[in-house]
Amino acid sequence: MANNEDQFKKVLSHAKEYGYVFQSSEIYDGLSAVYDYAQNGVELKKNIRDYWWKAMVQLNDNIVGIDAAIFMHPTTWKASGHVDAFNDPLIDNKDSKKRYRADVLIEDYCAKIEAKIDKEVKKAEKRFGDAFNKEEFVSTNGRVLGYQEKINTILSRMAKSLENEDLADVKALIEELEIADPLSGSKNWTDVKQFNLMFGTKLGASADSAMDLYLRPETAQGIFVNFLNVQKTGRMKIPFGIAQTGKAFRNEIVARQFIFRMREFEQMEMQFFIKPGTQTEWFKHWKEARLKWHLSLGLGEDNYRFHDHEKLAHYADAATDIEFKFPFGFKELEGIHSRTDFDLKQHEEYSGKKLQYFDHEENESYTPYVLETSIGLDRMFLAVFSNSLIEEELEDGSSRTVLKLPAVLAPVKAAILPLVKKDEGLVKLSKQIIEDLKWDYNVVYDEKDAVGRRYRRQDANGTPFCITVDGESLENNTVTIRHRDTMEQQRVKIEDLKSIIKKEVDVKEWLMKM
Ligand code: ATP
């Protein structure tokens, strides 16, 4: 636990020190759960977005993109259910005056029991060595089964109480489990209340005519209300998808996990419109496709797991989360939901406009069903960044900090370093190399400090290649190229640089692994 906390602290300070993420309005002491992406962060974020867009839109001939406005007609949020039901159950601690999400307190309690299961597994693994069969162990070991049953009982009671709006029972559960305020240790709780997460604002200048609006809490509704426009103008045939990336806003109650839970964040969503009755096969398809996308980045198969929802939202007939192992444990990174025809039917009812599809093959009209994939761009950023930050022991006993970002996502692809900054010839050739490479790749020039220190700086920045220009370069047009992960150095021709870099950073090479 302590190690994970340390790792998380390192992630935060590294993100700031290397120009990835800053606290918003830091000179005014910041704004809680709002962050700015800095010079490197903005590139990493853009590369993640592009990687998603390419896989979802460009490579699928039946998926197109849109960019809907953040402001939407207020009735949208009545139809979607957000005005009435986009609530989190909150609870205050009377002594510390801190506010928590009641469901998160209970889930964190269960995560502690889960940690005990992990401990039993590790112990048994050690004892049995190669003969150890994890699946068999967790399905037969008495202690593990006991823990698992406890988790299941707690979570299903919570789910039932939340569904029935029985907030008194949620409080009773917190009291029965003797859950204490994680900061103060106090068990002196208020009642549980519902809290709507949407930010309100006003459109229009005069007080009388101003219209109450919301900042969108998800991008999905911009897709639903445009369903027919896109279908008609794009002559789309079912099954087809509409994808969108963009900002969403939620007045989160608990926002203490850096860019994991923000009040202003970015989503990458895709709504796939299908024929009713085919949702089970498409749910399976998108579950597999999305996991493959994640795995293509090579962050490690063991860091992902599916969490199928037992309790489903009233509009869904299947739902799963792709969870990622963040420094603070496995948490939701992406949601995949089979939403039936709920959204289109609701908008049809509230707008009075028909939102149906005429199927020429079947010669009939119907309201399509929808499969949604929804991932938080900032959470994906955190997954990639935290997983890549490594403290590596070297053979000579020293250590280095290296940010092993997937090369395709790295903000800067190569740093060009003249061995000696005072040598005009080396500087000139370095700049010529930059002039040539910058049309294809984001590259930087770095002449300060000894070359070893420059290598370390670029390692910590996540730059996959360092290209060093030295005296020999002037004689025979060759340079040294150093690889971030292996630290291997090769002497190569300047004219070959582009193809060497391309091999490692090309989106195609990465996405072909899917
Ligand atoms: P959580 O249970 O963590 O609050 P959610 O189930 O409400 O998430 P969805 O409404 O399904 O999330 O949103 C889809 C995705 O948007 C999530 O999987 C997550 O990656 C991202 N997301 C949601 N809320 C936030 C937030 N406050 N900050 C950053 N990303 C978020």
Side-chain angles (χ1 to χ4, degrees), residues 86 101 218 250 252 259-263 265-267 269 321 332-335 337 372 374-379:
F86 193 49
R101 256 173 70 175
E218 61 175 31
R250 296 183 187 179
E252 297 282 1
I259 55 172
F260 179 81
R261 192 176 296 289
M262 302 155 92
R263 298 209 162 99
F265 59 100
E266 196 166 332
Q267 289 186 314
E269 297 197 298
D321 295 336
E332 172 178 344
L333 170 60
E334 171 159 3
H337 312 121
E372 165 183 80
S374 173
I375 172 170
L377 176 48
D378 313 85
R379 274 192 200 177

Side-chain angles (χ1 to χ4, degrees), residues 72-80 347 350-351:
M72 296 183 72
H73 192 285
T75 310
T76 309
W77 307 111
K78 276 233 151 266
S80 69
H347 287 301
Y350 278 78
S351 68

Side-chain angles (χ1 to χ4, degrees), residues 38-278:
Q39 65 277 16
N40 281 316
V42 71
E43 297 286 341
L44 173 56
K45 196 175 165 199
K46 177 172 77 62
N47 292 343
I48 296 173
R49 194 191 294 110
D50 289 349
Y51 196 69
W52 182 87
W53 191 268
K54 201 151 237 173
M56 299 298 278
V57 181
Q58 199 170 325
L59 295 180
N60 285 301
D61 55 13
N62 59 347
I63 299 183
V64 292
I66 62 164
D67 182 17
I70 287 172
F71 290 139
M72 296 183 72
H73 192 285
T75 310
T76 309
W77 307 111
K78 276 233 151 266
S80 69
H82 283 82
V83 171
D84 294 324
F86 193 49
N87 300 317
D88 273 348
L90 69 84
I91 189 165
D92 290 293
N93 187 277
K94 289 185 197 162
D95 296 324
S96 69
K97 309 276 185 262
K98 289 274 174 222
R99 180 160 279 186
Y100 295 93
R101 256 173 70 175
D103 56 332
V104 171
L105 284 178
I106 295 168
E107 278 165 9
D108 285 352
Y109 179 90
C110 291
K112 281 190 194 138
I113 308 178
E114 209 171 288
K116 287 186 190 164
I117 297 180
D118 281 350
K119 224 170 163 182
E120 292 292 334
V121 170
K122 285 222 175 79
K123 250 176 25 197
E125 213 168 12
K126 229 178 186 175
R127 189 150 27 106
F128 295 115
D130 286 345
F132 183 64
N133 180 333
K134 186 175 166 187
E135 245 166 61
E136 193 186 317
F137 179 75
V138 295
S139 60
T140 52
N141 179 274
R143 208 172 282 168
V144 169
L145 288 174
Y147 286 141
Q148 197 53 55
E149 197 185 322
K150 192 165 179 202
I151 294 176
N152 295 346
T153 312
I154 295 171
L155 291 182
S156 66
R157 176 167 158 199
M158 178 178 84
K160 209 164 138 214
S161 310
L162 286 174
E163 194 168 295
N164 298 336
E165 290 275 317
D166 184 357
L167 299 182
D169 190 57
V170 178
K171 183 182 179 185
L173 184 56
I174 288 177
E175 286 177 338
E176 279 168 39
L177 297 174
E178 299 190 11
I179 296 177
D181 177 345
L183 291 177
S184 70
S186 155
K187 294 175 193 158
N188 193 5
W189 297 108
T190 62
D191 287 343
V192 178
K193 284 183 292 246
Q194 291 289 18
F195 176 81
N196 194 289
L197 298 179
M198 283 197 294
F199 284 103
T201 185
K202 286 196 186 300
L203 180 94
S206 85
D208 313 332
S209 64
M211 190 184 202
D212 285 317
L213 287 192
Y214 295 104
L215 297 184
R216 68 178 178 200
E218 61 175 31
T219 59
Q221 299 304 323
I223 295 178
F224 294 130
V225 300
N226 278 304
F227 157 73
L228 214 51
N229 279 340
V230 173
Q231 192 270 316
K232 291 227 151 92
T233 58
R235 298 186 308 281
M236 308 300 292
K237 284 204 178 68
I238 274 183
F240 74 92
I242 305 178
Q244 166 163 235
T245 70
K247 284 279 171 94
F249 304 81
R250 296 183 187 179
N251 199 359
E252 297 282 1
I253 300 165
V254 189
R256 291 195 201 99
Q257 280 162 331
F258 191 41
I259 55 172
F260 179 81
R261 192 176 296 289
M262 302 155 92
R263 298 209 162 99
E264 174 181 340
F265 59 100
E266 196 166 332
Q267 289 186 314
M268 306 191 286
E269 297 197 298
M270 193 278 298
Q271 311 293 330
F272 201 66
F273 299 91
I274 56 174
K275 199 173 160 195
T278 61

